[in-house]
Amino acid sequence: MDQPNSIKLFKENNIRYVWDEEKEDWYFSVLDLISFLTDCYNLEEYIKEILSRDEGLRLSWNTICIPVQMPEDDGKSHEVLSVNTQGLFRIIQSVPSIKAEPFKNFLAEMGAERLNQMQNPALSIKQALQDYRRKGYSDDWINMRLNSIEIKKELTDQWNVHNVKDPLQHDVLTDVICKTWSGKTVKEYKKFKGLKKESLEDNMTNIEMVLNMLAEVSASSITAAKNPQTFEENVQCAISGGSVAAVARQSLEKELGHSVISSLNTKASISEQTDIKKLDVD
């Protein structure tokens, strides 16, 4: 599976990192990071120096840095001061080092791109097309994925109109829909497919994608029709929408004779198709 950009950037530089399944995020050793960027031996003193220069980082240090169990040279796991990906880049911003410059430039480029996309949303669509094609997705799949994004936006718009504006509640409703039609929460589904930070929808088969779209567009339409005013009423609409796709799934599986919920992820699928093409050429 693809790893986040930050891991690709650091995987050759002896910076320890682990995946936190509960928080669904990567965590990196702070001392390993500072050591790589500065070649400094007295790391604790260097960190004090950074914090004395950067008041914003000093004030948030105890929030972004947490102890995480990581392997040491003795082969045993010990608590290591660590940060997630966002904290990692925040620290890099404060380090005056030649080694830090490529990462600072990377952040500047990403920030500029994001600002441009906010001012011109069409750029986001263009970038998405380029990213998906670079990863090996077919144009037919990309078109379906873009449609699914539009359906999800319409669904979240319905939630916002019907008194559900908290992103955490959006996540709960998304879980309700997913669990109702697939039998798995988003987190369970991602684990089943061997995913971490990757998008679940980006790793669905065509059938899974269609069923998920059916569930979400049904939930959106039912929400608009029933006009729920409380979170509990929105939950019932989410269950109803998911149930529409659940019925479709059951009917299809009865005809096929097997489950359409697949453990296959996109990287494996694209790799498999590439191997088939190579065999055809040979």
Side-chain angles (χ1 to χ4, degrees):
M1 76 192 72
D2 288 341
Q3 292 178 316
N5 287 335
S6 56
I7 293 182
K8 290 179 179 179
L9 292 170
F10 288 110
K11 66 180 182 179
E12 304 297 334
N13 297 301
N14 296 320
I15 295 177
R16 288 168 295 169
Y17 55 86
V18 296
W19 173 253
D20 187 314
E21 192 165 311
E22 181 64 28
K23 297 177 180 177
E24 294 190 293
D25 211 346
W26 294 101
Y27 280 84
F28 303 81
S29 164
V30 172
L31 293 183
D32 290 354
L33 171 65
I34 299 298
S35 177
F36 161 67
L37 292 175
T38 66
D39 296 322
C40 177
Y41 291 103
N42 194 337
L43 299 176
E44 282 78 8
E45 284 300 317
Y46 192 86
I47 289 174
K48 289 180 181 179
E49 183 181 336
I50 293 176
L51 298 182
S52 68
R53 294 195 307 264
D54 189 333
E55 183 178 1
L57 181 60
R58 178 177 61 80
L59 293 174
S60 63
W61 186 257
N62 291 330
T63 301
I64 66 174
C65 298
I66 64 172
V68 174
Q69 291 287 332
M70 289 190 183
E72 294 281 8
D73 292 337
D74 59 8
K76 298 179 181 179
S77 290
H78 300 272
E79 283 194 345
V80 175
L81 191 65
S82 306
V83 289
N84 63 9
T85 306
Q86 181 176 342
L88 176 141
F89 282 119
R90 177 63 183 89
I91 291 175
I92 288 174
Q93 289 175 320
S94 293
V95 177
S97 162
I98 295 297
K99 289 184 179 180
E101 287 306 309
F103 305 104
K104 292 179 181 180
N105 290 334
F106 168 76
L107 289 173
E109 291 171 6
M110 293 294 289
E113 285 181 11
R114 181 58 184 143
L115 285 174
N116 289 334
Q117 290 168 4
M118 290 171 65
Q119 295 174 22
N120 183 0
L123 295 176
S124 297
I125 298 174
K126 182 178 180 181
Q127 184 63 54
L129 286 169
Q130 292 174 349
D131 291 341
Y132 282 131
R133 284 174 178 148
R134 187 178 65 252
K135 290 182 177 181
Y137 291 94
S138 69
D139 284 347
D140 287 341
W141 186 95
I142 292 171
N143 288 332
M144 183 164 59
R145 179 69 178 103
L146 293 178
N147 285 334
S148 77
I149 292 172
E150 181 60 26
I151 287 172
K152 184 58 178 283
K153 181 182 181 302
E154 292 173 358
L155 176 57
T156 55
D157 286 346
Q158 284 296 328
W159 288 338
N160 288 330
V161 168
H162 292 91
N163 303 318
V164 182
K165 299 181 180 181
D166 185 343
L168 293 178
Q169 290 184 319
H170 284 195
D171 290 343
V172 171
L173 291 173
T174 299
D175 263 346
V176 168
I177 294 172
C178 190
K179 180 81 171 181
T180 302
W181 81 260
S182 72
K184 302 179 187 297
T185 65
V186 173
K187 192 172 185 178
E188 291 167 345
Y189 212 151
K190 289 177 69 173
K191 186 175 181 180
F192 180 65
K193 284 181 173 289
L195 307 174
K196 289 184 169 61
K197 293 290 281 188
E198 303 92 334
S199 162
L200 173 59
E201 289 86 349
D202 283 357
N203 287 274
M204 285 182 168
T205 64
N206 288 349
I207 291 176
E208 290 172 309
M209 179 76 75
V210 168
L211 288 172
N212 194 59
M213 291 167 66
L214 175 60
E216 293 190 338
V217 75
S218 298
S220 181
S221 299
I222 291 169
T223 301
K226 293 193 172 182
N227 193 29
Q229 297 301 307
T230 66
F231 178 69
E232 289 71 21
E233 290 174 344
N234 276 276
V235 169
Q236 291 305 311
C237 292
I239 292 173
S240 297
S243 297
V244 173
V247 171
R249 174 197 166 192
Q250 291 163 6
S251 298
L252 179 58
E253 290 179 341
K254 183 177 180 180
E255 295 296 326
L256 295 176
H258 62 79
S259 175
V260 297
I261 305 300
S262 172
S263 61
L264 192 68
N265 62 47
T266 296
K267 184 175 182 181
S269 178
I270 291 175
S271 176
E272 183 179 275
Q273 293 301 316
T274 301
D275 290 341
I276 291 174
K277 290 179 181 178
K278 286 181 179 178
L279 288 174
D280 290 342
V281 171
D282 294 343

